[in-house]
Amino acid sequence: MGASGESAPRRRTASDQVQAALLEAAQSVLDREELANVTVRAVAREADVAPMGVYNRFGSKEGLLLALAVRALEDLWNAVAVDPSLDPEVRFRQACVAYRRFALAHPQRYALVFGGGGPVALTGSEASVHGHAAFEVLIELVEGLVGRDSLKRFANSGEAAQLVWTAIHGAVHLELGGIGQVSGPHDSYGQLVDLLIRGLR
């Protein structure tokens, strides 16, 4: 109680802190279990709140997954946004390695972002916008590696970046699925990056 005898007002957690806590809980469920198990009830149980608290912040399970996808894309963007002061080839190589490292460290988040019919596929959604921003980083990496003039054999820089993404995503997807045909996926991935660098140049 205060000096006047009145009860001190209860401190409320800021709205953004509540949302962040719920997202943290959702991410814990996602990382520990399969995507199908990320439900409003599971997240509410993880966060020790009533399910309505999740609905109040995200509106629906779809809204929750969209927010999770945005967060995962931001983490991926941060992973591949390598120091621009580095040598372009070193930077390109480190970004490709960081992409694989992120996918292997967070397979469920990777599946959420790039699985068929996921939030990123919804044109105009916040996740789609973040996905495009991450792709712009890849375009910049490709342009830095070979220069725009050297990319004239492609329709545009985006097409060249799409080919790079197709290659590294395909390699990562095969590795995550355990269906690769080589015994050393790490070395194989390094050789793929070498091949991409030579091909682009």
Side-chain angles (χ1 to χ4, degrees):
M1 292 210 176
S4 63
E6 296 178 355
S7 298
R10 293 179 59 188
R11 293 185 61 186
R12 289 191 168 187
T13 304
S15 178
D16 57 345
Q17 291 179 319
V18 172
Q19 183 158 321
L22 290 173
L23 266 180
E24 198 66 40
Q27 191 163 276
S28 294
V29 175
L30 177 66
D31 289 343
R32 188 175 63 242
E33 306 178 31
E34 294 183 355
L35 177 59
N37 293 326
V38 182
T39 64
V40 169
R41 287 189 177 279
V43 172
R45 188 164 54 248
E46 182 78 16
D48 195 24
V49 300
M52 189 53 64
V54 181
Y55 283 115
N56 286 341
R57 288 293 184 280
F58 301 102
S60 63
K61 175 184 175 179
E62 289 70 27
L64 176 63
L65 293 180
L66 174 61
L68 266 182
V70 167
R71 189 179 196 186
L73 281 163
E74 288 175 346
D75 290 342
L76 177 59
W77 184 91
N78 287 326
V80 300
V82 181
D83 183 356
S85 68
L86 292 174
D87 173 81
E89 182 176 325
V90 172
R91 188 179 178 220
F92 180 88
R93 193 182 301 279
Q94 286 190 6
C96 290
V97 169
Y99 183 95
R100 173 177 177 264
R101 186 185 301 122
F102 175 88
L104 297 182
H106 310 292
Q108 299 293 359
R109 300 181 205 179
Y110 190 81
L112 169 63
V113 170
F114 296 119
V120 180
L122 300 175
T123 303
S125 71
E126 187 179 359
S128 176
V129 171
H130 277 71
H132 184 71
F135 187 66
E136 287 289 335
V137 173
L138 183 55
I139 291 176
E140 192 222 330
L141 287 165
V142 169
E143 290 181 345
L145 178 67
V146 298
R148 291 187 181 183
D149 290 341
S150 299
L151 290 170
K152 287 181 178 177
R153 64 185 183 277
F154 300 101
N156 51 55
S157 301
E159 183 184 273
Q162 179 68 51
L163 292 173
V164 171
W165 184 27
T166 299
I168 61 177
H169 170 72
V172 165
H173 182 71
L174 290 173
E175 186 174 357
L176 286 173
I179 52 178
Q181 299 298 309
V182 295
S183 59
H186 175 77
D187 291 339
S188 177
Y189 189 82
Q191 291 170 358
L192 171 65
V193 175
D194 289 339
L195 186 65
L196 289 170
I197 292 172
R198 291 198 301 271
L200 287 168
R201 285 178 163 171

